[in-house]
């Protein structure tokens, strides 16, 4: 039996994201981290710091995907309510995690900083949750079932992924090929690209135009598949589609489209 490919969703939490005050990069870095493990991100949502909305989103996503990654709302301030929302979503209590609070107390003592009630909030974990190490600032994230709760600060969130990686059931690696055509227009290749997608159901196709200026515009055609044996075949077919328009196809390595 072929191995079922695991999937992931990312839930971004915070009023500051929805207001535009903060620009998110966590989705990108989580998806980039998971891709080589064969765990594609299939959905992303952004919700405000409202407990009921966080709970509803967590429960919807954890039922649909293998893994859910949340970011934001686990700091020391009054609006950091993610831990409470995760506990509510799983129907469990929440309290200070003994090992975590001892670790944080020792860390703040070493920094000659008071371990205040606000800072103790970061030691509160849903019952049954497992801490996720934070080598940057100490205060951990946590795993509850198939939900991983990370900090919102990108540097910290990325560091936490290193502790999460070994816990994940990885899937087949997704192989990607990108062919671009400078000066190409999407309308020129829409029909043959659609036909190719029907002929090759094991491949996911994407078309991504860019326009920076006259002479610096075109389309990236991206194909993704877990079948490594199809990579060269699909690359040749995409190149042929572009060439048919009179545009010279260019194959890119690890392109950012």
């Amino acid at each position: 039996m072929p191995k079922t490919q695991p999937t992931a969703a990312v839930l971004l939490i915070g009023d500051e994201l929805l207001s535009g005050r903060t620009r998110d990069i966590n989705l990108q870095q989580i998806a980039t981290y998971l891709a080589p493990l064969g765990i594609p991100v299939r959905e992303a949502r952004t919700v405000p710091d409202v407990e009921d909305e966080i709970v509803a989103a967590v429960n919807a996503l954890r039922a649909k995907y293998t893994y859910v990654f949340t970011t934001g709302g686990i700091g020391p301030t009054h609006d950091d309510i993610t831990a409470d929302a995760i506990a509510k979503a799983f129907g469990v209590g929440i309290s200070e995690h003994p090992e975590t609070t001892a670790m944080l107390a020792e860390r703040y003592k070493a920094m000659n900083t008071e371990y205040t009630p606000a800072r103790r909030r970061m030691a509160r974990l849903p019952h049954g949750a497992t801490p996720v190490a934070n080598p940057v600032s100490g205060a951990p994230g946590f795993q509850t079932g198939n939900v991983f709760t990370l900090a919102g600060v990108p540097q910290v969130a990325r560091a936490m992924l290193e502790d999460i990686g070994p816990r994940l059931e990885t899937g087949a690696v997704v192989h990607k090929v990108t062919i671009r055509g400078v000066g190409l227009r999407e309308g020129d290749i829409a029909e043959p690209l659609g036909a190719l997608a029907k002929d090759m159901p094991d491949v996911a196709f994407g078309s991504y135009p860019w326009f920076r200026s006259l002479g610096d515009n075109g389309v990236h055609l991206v194909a993704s598949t877990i079948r490594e044996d199809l990579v060269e075949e699909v690359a040749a077919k995409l190149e042929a589609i572009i060439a048919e328009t009179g545009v010279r196809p260019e194959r890119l390595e690890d392109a950012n489209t």
Side-chain angles (χ1 to χ4, degrees):
M1 294 282 298
K3 187 177 181 180
T4 301
Q5 184 170 34
T7 56
V10 177
L11 179 62
L12 308 167
I13 300 168
D15 294 339
E16 69 281 3
L17 298 173
L18 291 167
S19 70
R21 292 194 304 272
T22 298
R23 181 180 181 182
D24 172 69
I25 65 169
N26 282 321
L27 171 58
Q28 179 187 32
Q29 63 180 8
I30 291 170
T32 300
Y33 180 83
L34 294 177
L37 303 180
I39 307 174
V41 172
R42 296 299 192 200
E43 184 174 348
R45 300 188 189 184
T46 305
V47 295
D49 295 309
V50 177
E51 186 177 85
D52 288 346
E53 294 198 33
I54 299 171
V55 170
V58 166
N59 282 333
L61 294 172
R62 72 185 179 98
K64 188 175 180 181
Y65 300 101
T66 313
Y67 302 113
V68 178
F69 294 81
T70 79
T71 70
I74 58 172
T77 60
H78 71 283
D79 59 346
D80 288 313
I81 62 171
T82 298
D84 296 273
I86 297 292
K88 186 174 181 180
F90 279 85
V92 298
I94 183 170
S95 59
E96 284 188 9
H97 186 265
E99 289 81 7
T100 297
T101 198
M103 178 272 293
L104 288 176
E106 185 64 28
R107 185 181 182 95
Y108 282 110
K109 181 180 179 181
M111 294 188 297
N112 197 29
T113 302
E114 184 182 358
Y115 188 33
T116 63
R119 295 187 175 110
R120 294 182 74 103
R121 281 176 53 81
M122 296 186 290
R124 297 167 65 250
L125 271 61
H127 295 169
T130 304
V132 170
N134 171 5
V136 176
S137 59
F142 53 88
Q143 176 186 357
T144 316
N146 64 335
V147 179
F148 295 92
T149 300
L150 284 62
V153 178
Q155 181 186 9
V156 178
R158 179 60 184 82
M160 288 179 173
L161 289 173
E162 298 302 333
D163 189 36
I164 292 171
R167 309 183 192 191
L168 304 176
E169 177 186 354
T170 59
V173 174
V174 178
H175 303 279
K176 184 172 76 170
V177 61
T178 301
I179 314 293
R180 78 169 184 173
V182 177
L184 188 66
R185 298 174 299 181
E186 277 193 300
D188 297 333
I189 47 85
E191 187 173 339
L193 184 62
L196 181 60
K198 289 183 179 180
D199 290 342
M200 303 188 78
D202 291 336
V203 181
F205 293 92
S207 175
Y208 307 99
W210 86 90
F211 186 92
R212 300 184 184 95
S213 64
L214 289 176
D216 188 5
N217 62 282
V219 178
H220 290 93
L221 298 181
V222 181
S224 303
T225 179
I226 62 173
R227 289 186 53 184
E228 188 175 7
D229 60 301
L230 291 180
V231 171
E232 294 307 319
E233 177 184 354
V234 73
K237 289 182 180 295
L238 290 177
E239 289 173 345
I241 287 174
I242 293 175
E244 278 292 315
T245 69
V247 172
R248 182 173 64 88
E250 302 175 47
R251 182 165 177 171
L252 305 183
E253 299 299 330
D254 297 324
N256 224 345
T257 60

